[in-house]
Amino acid sequence: MSQPPARRTVLRGAALAGAAGFGLAACSPGDSGANASAVPDQPVELGAAAEVPVGGAKLYREDRLVVSQPAKGTYKCFSAKCTHAGCILSEVEKKEGSCPCHGSRFDVTTGKVLQGPAADPLPEVPVKAKNGKLIAG
Ligand code: FES
């Protein structure tokens, strides 16, 4: 009976260690993501709007943006730069984005902080779908 929980704990620990390693890489000096501005200063084409699931979200890590589609045809875009210390969110699951550095979590449909240490919401970025493509900024 004790075998499955113990195994899960070990696997979970390994997953967390992996995430932490990734986070350290993301925060290393010279990572342009940590120093670049949180929101784009000119329009960025993100690709097909259909790639963002209804009721879910897609992370555009290279563009440091996350786009959600809370209702069909309604898109919300936020900076994917964590407001705690500037790491870029590493993962989005349904409507929750997580930061690999210190574990902050954000609601990517509102930008709100769900779990600290980040205290401020993700800045919103205007986004529109044009000819089936998403344009942010
Ligand atoms: S930089 Fe995101 S939680 Fe610290």
Side-chain angles (χ1 to χ4, degrees):
M1 204 62 178
S2 67
Q3 186 72 1
R7 183 173 153 75
R8 228 174 302 157
T9 304
V10 168
L11 291 174
R12 190 148 191 249
L16 287 173
F22 189 70
L24 288 176
C27 285
S28 66
D31 174 13
S32 60
N35 299 321
S37 102
V39 296
D41 50 13
Q42 53 188 15
V44 182
E45 193 181 303
L46 297 174
E51 287 178 8
V52 180
V54 178
K58 180 170 163 64
L59 180 63
Y60 297 88
R61 206 160 189 272
E62 278 182 18
D63 295 306
R64 303 183 304 275
L65 295 169
V66 58
V67 177
S68 58
Q69 189 178 187
K72 192 166 171 47
T74 303
Y75 297 95
K76 293 282 204 171
C77 181
F78 295 90
S79 165
K81 183 174 173 179
C82 179
T83 56
H84 176 233
C87 293
I88 305 302
L89 303 187
S90 62
E91 200 175 293
V92 171
E93 206 173 304
K94 295 206 173 137
K95 56 179 207 151
E96 256 184 68
S98 49
C99 179
C101 293
H102 315 99
S104 289
R105 299 181 76 80
F106 299 88
D107 182 328
V108 295
T109 62
T110 63
K112 272 192 194 157
V113 175
L114 298 173
Q115 181 182 302
D120 297 320
L122 297 172
E124 189 163 3
V125 176
V127 67
K128 61 184 175 204
K130 199 176 170 192
N131 301 327
K133 299 219 186 260
L134 288 174
I135 318 263

